[in-house]
Amino acid sequence: MAKKVVEVSSLVKQYGDLRAVDGISFELYEGEVFAFLGPNGAGKTTTVEILECIRPLTSGSAKVFGYDVTKREDAKEIKKRIGVLPQDFSALDKLSVKENIDLIGGMYEKKLDTMEVIKLLDVEDKANERFENLSGGLKQRVGVAAALVNDPQLVFLDEPTTGLDPKARREVWSVMENLKKLGKTVFLTSHYMEEAQVLADRIAIINKGKIAVIGSSQDLISEYGGLKVLVVRKGGKEMAKTLQDRFGGTTLNHNGDVFVKADDVNEMWRVLSTLTEMNLTKEIEIQTPTIEDVFLKVVGGRITEEGELT
């Protein structure tokens, strides 16, 4: 059984009448990537800031490496063992990548060699480049480097790819995948569905301060994602009627595309076999449920690119 790195029980954070974190409980295990997935204002950043000993909790309990976040001496021990990439990470514009990481590393008793960290993040060719001249994706890589300079056991990445274009986002994903290979435990917050599904071993969907569900992508999709859908592009009315008569669960859109919901893999094969018998020459696509479908089912909405719930 993997060792528990974070233990949270009935955690509450209250701001006047607003309950930003509303009685949540979860655990994080050594070596895993754990994601908090939710819209802006869900309580993601508040939770990680409590675990980072930046913000006090209102009630409940939270432990990191067995240390209590509410105790001053314990908080010192926690901070030695964690690395943090905050949501609003920035560095000194006029300093180079190397100078910035040197500066941050100087704050710790124990630290890795700066060039070693720069190599880990594959930014060697930018080591002497001013921070202000870097692209958004490279700036975030420097942020991850800064989070690793004290050789932490646990790394908090708070919305690490917000505002990046798809290419830069995937570059940062590759960096995050490497963190796991390095043996780091990672706590990721994100409002990007695909990001959580691709990177996380387990996902907690959080909204309005409450955790709706926790589990692996596969388990959550199996339980809440709905059915696989076979799509026949421009199959037409006659095909839709034939498939509806045989299998049910068939719909036709305004483009003439036919959609058939399949309860399981065996039924999907039966539908495909029927299409083969019909000498089908149309394009076929199989749509598999995703974490976005899970989110829609358990929360009742979608998250925009900007992180707002709709």
Side-chain angles (χ1 to χ4, degrees):
M1 183 81 179
K3 182 180 177 182
K4 291 178 186 177
V5 173
V6 173
E7 299 173 77
V8 171
S9 179
S10 303
L11 182 65
V12 172
K13 180 60 183 179
Q14 191 92 17
Y15 297 101
D17 294 332
L18 174 65
R19 187 164 282 210
V21 178
D22 193 2
I24 64 174
S25 301
F26 64 92
E27 295 166 341
L28 174 57
Y29 296 93
E30 188 175 53
E32 77 170 338
V33 177
F34 180 79
F36 253 16
L37 175 63
N40 298 339
K44 305 188 301 292
T45 297
T46 300
T47 301
V48 297
E49 287 183 349
I50 289 170
L51 296 174
E52 293 161 3
C53 307
I54 294 172
R55 198 179 293 273
L57 54 80
T58 301
S59 64
S61 67
K63 293 182 178 181
V64 181
F65 301 110
Y67 294 103
D68 190 331
V69 299
T70 64
K71 295 178 180 177
R72 182 174 296 179
E73 290 304 312
D74 281 15
K76 289 180 182 177
E77 292 301 321
I78 291 170
K79 288 178 180 179
K80 289 178 185 176
R81 292 167 169 79
I82 65 172
V84 178
L85 174 64
Q87 189 172 345
D88 54 355
F89 170 76
S90 186
L92 295 176
D93 279 346
K94 302 302 180 185
L95 295 186
S96 69
V97 168
K98 183 178 184 301
E99 288 167 338
N100 269 297
I101 296 173
D102 273 337
L103 184 65
I104 294 166
M107 300 176 187
Y108 296 97
E109 292 177 22
K110 174 193 170 188
K111 66 168 187 169
L112 296 174
D113 177 74
T114 298
M115 287 309 297
E116 181 182 341
V117 176
I118 286 173
K119 286 178 184 176
L120 283 175
L121 276 297
D122 195 23
V123 285
E124 289 173 87
D125 59 333
K126 302 293 182 181
N128 297 313
E129 187 78 49
R130 282 186 178 184
F131 185 78
E132 65 183 351
N133 295 331
L134 301 179
S135 66
L138 284 171
K139 285 180 176 179
Q140 287 301 84
R141 281 205 223 180
V142 174
V144 177
L148 291 178
V149 73
N150 64 320
D151 196 20
Q153 296 163 259
L154 169 62
V155 183
F156 290 96
L157 303 176
D158 193 7
E159 298 277 4
T161 63
T162 295
L164 299 182
D165 62 62
K167 181 176 181 294
R169 188 173 297 158
R170 280 167 174 73
E171 288 173 358
V172 177
W173 288 4
S174 68
V175 169
M176 289 190 273
E177 288 170 338
N178 285 337
L179 293 182
K180 186 172 182 181
K181 294 175 185 175
L182 292 170
K184 306 298 182 186
T185 304
V186 179
F187 194 135
L188 167 70
T189 74
S190 181
H191 64 261
Y192 295 119
M193 304 290 173
E194 187 183 5
E195 180 165 281
Q197 184 170 338
V198 168
L199 296 174
D201 297 298
R202 287 188 305 131
I203 297 170
I205 292 178
I206 183 169
N207 186 45
K208 296 180 180 177
K210 292 180 179 289
I211 291 176
V213 289
I214 299 180
S216 68
S217 295
Q218 186 175 353
D219 289 345
L220 293 178
I221 289 169
S222 294
E223 187 166 355
Y224 302 102
L227 305 176
K228 285 184 171 63
V229 178
L230 187 146
V231 184
V232 183
R233 296 298 178 193
K234 301 189 183 304
K237 289 182 181 179
E238 187 176 337
M239 179 176 292
K241 183 179 185 309
T242 299
L243 295 175
Q244 172 64 25
D245 290 344
R246 290 200 189 185
F247 304 103
T250 303
T251 56
L252 181 73
N253 72 6
H254 65 280
N255 291 323
D257 297 334
V258 178
F259 297 79
V260 187
K261 291 183 178 179
D263 290 325
D264 52 36
V265 174
N266 289 332
E267 182 161 356
M268 183 67 72
W269 280 114
R270 286 195 291 272
V271 176
L272 287 168
S273 178
T274 298
L275 293 173
T276 301
E277 291 169 8
M278 295 169 70
N279 296 316
L280 181 72
T281 57
K282 306 290 185 180
E283 179 186 343
I284 295 177
E285 175 185 325
I286 296 176
Q287 296 178 348
T288 302
T290 66
I291 283 295
E292 187 166 7
D293 297 304
V294 175
F295 190 91
L296 181 61
K297 178 73 178 290
V298 301
V299 174
R302 299 185 186 277
I303 302 178
T304 66
E305 178 74 16
E306 293 74 31
E308 300 301 324
L309 185 64
T310 60

